[in-house]
Amino acid sequence: MPPFSFTIDARCADTWARAGTIATAHGVIETPIFMPVGTQATVKSVSSEELREAGATIILANTYHLMLRPGSQLISDFGGLHAFMHWDGPILTDSGGFQVFSLGHLRKLSEEGAAFKSHLDGSAHLLTPESVMRIEAELGADIILPLDICAAYPCTSTEAREGMERTHRWAERALAARDSYRTEQALFGIVQGAFEPELRQYSAQVIGNMPFAGVAVGGLSVGEPKAVLWEMLRHVTPALPEDKPRHLLGVGSPEDFVTGVSLGMDMFDCALPTRVARHGGLFTRHGRVNITAARFRVERGPIEVECDCYTCRNYSVAYVHHLARTEEQLYYRLGSIHNIRYMLRLASEVRAAIRAGTFAAFRDKFLADYTPAPEAVREEQREKWKMARRANKA
Ligand SMILES: [Zn+2]
């Protein structure tokens, strides 16, 4: 059996949604799929066994954080990420590029690569398309991503074009370099092009034609309005090859997952479901609730009646509310498990609807029932995360 394959099991007649199966050496992934994000080789507060029980079939780990601490060589010495974190299912690692671009003044870009100073100790590092292939080979994930340039929102047309062209040149260098490492790893290309429809379409064609195992769409969900994000996908998807899996990088709220599937995406990763859980935001059929709200104080039922997660099967809302109010450790685990299970159950339902030929109706009903967090709440949430991040660094 080849280490990586993708087959399409069903297509939606009314939208661009498809249901597929990805086979890897560590197991099968049925798509569309949500990937919990394990930045530091751990999905925060949740063990690998709990992830498995929640239905996770693939997780994402961040190259940038792991190369700095504990170091990719150390992880390699422990048999790679699967053995190190005791997760025997498929893993995807990103290239580290996105985090490096977020470092702002701490990084410097050239044709060779991205030079940056560690946010931990200020030490100097250089990420190149070649060194990223070596680091990801040491981490040993099943699916890996090449170094790319993620343009800021907003950016000029020149910045958009130059970033995209360099991303394409780096894609070729990554393809050439990976042959000297672990060729059983599935390398995905990354489509860029910022917020220029013609560039997005062109990048989708160029990356789609390179010999990558799959295609990731990067540089979206970086602060632009949602309408712009979907508009870009409307230009990208038709230009992509049909027979490769498509990963929409960094997108994964419930409503964005459903909309992204309808625009032809198969794989989604996002830290949002676990991050909002840690801040009290739990997903329900009707939208996100704040579990610390007073109305939950004496409620006896589960967070959501139809939820089959470990938390909902065993604990009342009142108890989870109490744990969240008192900032108990157990809350972070129970809240995260609920949101992860919610996303994975949603993915199964979406997949079943595509196979049954009822996805368009499913999408419309889901989006009608689900009230997204208002923009003001999201803004407040972003500020809280930024403050928490600053506190972590201090
Ligand atoms: Zn639940």
Side-chain angles (χ1 to χ4, degrees):
M1 193 180 87
F4 184 91
S5 68
F6 177 64
T7 47
I8 295 176
D9 308 319
R11 283 186 179 82
C12 174
D14 312 304
T15 72
W16 295 343
R18 37 301 165 96
T21 303
I22 297 172
T24 75
H26 286 93
V28 165
I29 305 147
E30 293 187 328
T31 66
I33 192 64
F34 170 75
M35 295 177 258
V37 173
T39 299
Q40 305 278 6
T42 166
V43 175
K44 289 194 196 315
S45 78
V46 181
S47 73
S48 293
E49 288 76 12
E50 288 164 335
L51 281 175
R52 179 65 81 190
E53 201 214 301
T57 52
I58 175 168
I59 58 170
L60 181 144
N62 286 122
T63 294
Y64 169 81
H65 291 280
L66 296 173
M67 66 176 275
L68 295 178
R69 191 171 57 186
S72 54
Q73 183 60 57
L74 182 140
I75 289 175
S76 174
D77 292 345
F78 276 78
L81 270 177
H82 295 91
F84 189 55
M85 67 179 291
H86 185 53
W87 167 260
D88 61 5
I91 301 176
L92 184 150
T93 46
D94 63 5
S95 69
F98 183 78
Q99 277 79 17
V100 168
F101 295 114
S102 316
L103 289 172
H105 68 283
L106 290 174
R107 54 120 171 110
K108 199 167 185 303
L109 287 179
S110 67
E111 188 61 26
E112 189 189 7
F116 68 95
K117 288 207 167 76
S118 161
H119 72 284
L120 296 172
D121 59 7
S123 57
H125 300 264
L126 175 67
L127 278 186
T128 66
E130 293 79 14
S131 73
V132 165
M133 289 300 98
R134 175 183 55 75
I135 294 164
E136 290 192 270
E138 286 169 348
L139 296 175
D142 303 272
I143 302 173
I144 60 175
L145 297 179
L147 191 64
D148 64 327
I149 305 263
C150 180
Y153 177 83
C155 71
T156 66
S157 297
T158 310
E159 285 166 338
R161 173 170 290 280
E162 286 176 0
M164 178 201 71
E165 285 171 348
R166 184 171 278 168
T167 293
H168 295 170
R169 290 193 296 274
W170 284 3
E172 282 174 355
R173 281 168 60 186
L175 279 165
R178 62 81 62 110
D179 289 341
S180 34
Y181 299 109
R182 299 175 54 169
T183 49
E184 80 276 16
Q185 290 181 300
L187 177 60
F188 281 25
I190 303 181
V191 171
Q192 287 289 352
F195 302 94
E196 313 273 330
E198 313 77 53
L199 293 185
R200 281 282 167 189
Q201 199 176 347
Y202 175 70
S203 187
Q205 283 162 357
V206 170
I207 295 294
N209 281 325
M210 289 186 189
F212 288 114
V215 178
V217 182
L220 295 176
S221 199
V222 292
E224 77 280 12
K226 284 286 163 63
V228 175
L229 158 60
W230 305 133
E231 176 61 18
M232 292 305 115
L233 277 194
R234 282 190 197 97
H235 289 90
V236 166
T237 300
L240 290 175
E242 267 282 304
D243 59 348
K244 291 180 184 179
R246 304 158 177 171
H247 177 182
L248 182 55
L249 288 165
V251 173
S253 65
E255 71 275 21
D256 291 352
F257 177 83
V258 173
T259 304
V261 168
S262 76
L263 290 171
M265 295 294 119
D266 307 305
M267 303 162 70
F268 299 78
D269 77 273
C270 195
L272 178 129
T274 41
R275 194 189 287 146
V276 295
R278 294 196 302 278
H279 288 90
L282 299 182
F283 297 147
T284 74
R285 206 42 64 186
H286 300 288
R288 196 197 292 177
V289 298
N290 180 355
I291 193 66
T292 62
R295 66 186 166 108
F296 295 119
R297 205 171 68 87
V298 292
E299 218 175 288
R300 290 172 186 278
I303 298 159
E304 186 160 52
V305 177
E306 64 258 47
C307 183
D308 59 355
C309 86
Y310 170 79
T311 305
C312 289
R313 279 188 282 115
N314 294 291
Y315 300 96
S316 66
V317 179
Y319 182 63
V320 178
H321 163 88
H322 160 71
L323 294 179
R325 291 282 292 217
T326 49
E327 297 179 20
E328 278 295 327
Q329 301 276 320
L330 182 59
Y331 168 69
Y332 300 105
R333 187 168 137 227
L334 296 183
S336 300
I337 288 174
H338 170 79
N339 276 7
I340 290 170
R341 178 66 199 144
Y342 178 97
M343 290 305 299
L344 291 162
R345 209 173 58 249
L346 178 60
S348 306
E349 288 169 2
V350 161
R351 179 180 161 82
I354 297 169
R355 297 191 64 143
T358 56
F359 173 70
F362 177 94
R363 175 196 59 185
D364 295 346
K365 176 159 183 7
F366 180 86
L367 294 177
D369 289 347
Y370 192 93
T371 311
E375 198 47 51
V377 172
R378 285 199 223 142
E379 195 48 51
E380 190 191 352
Q381 202 77 55
R382 267 196 289 272
E383 286 309 310
K384 272 193 205 161
W385 297 335
K386 276 188 209 154
M387 277 166 61
R389 236 185 346 232
R390 267 182 233 127
N392 278 341
K393 280 181 206 167

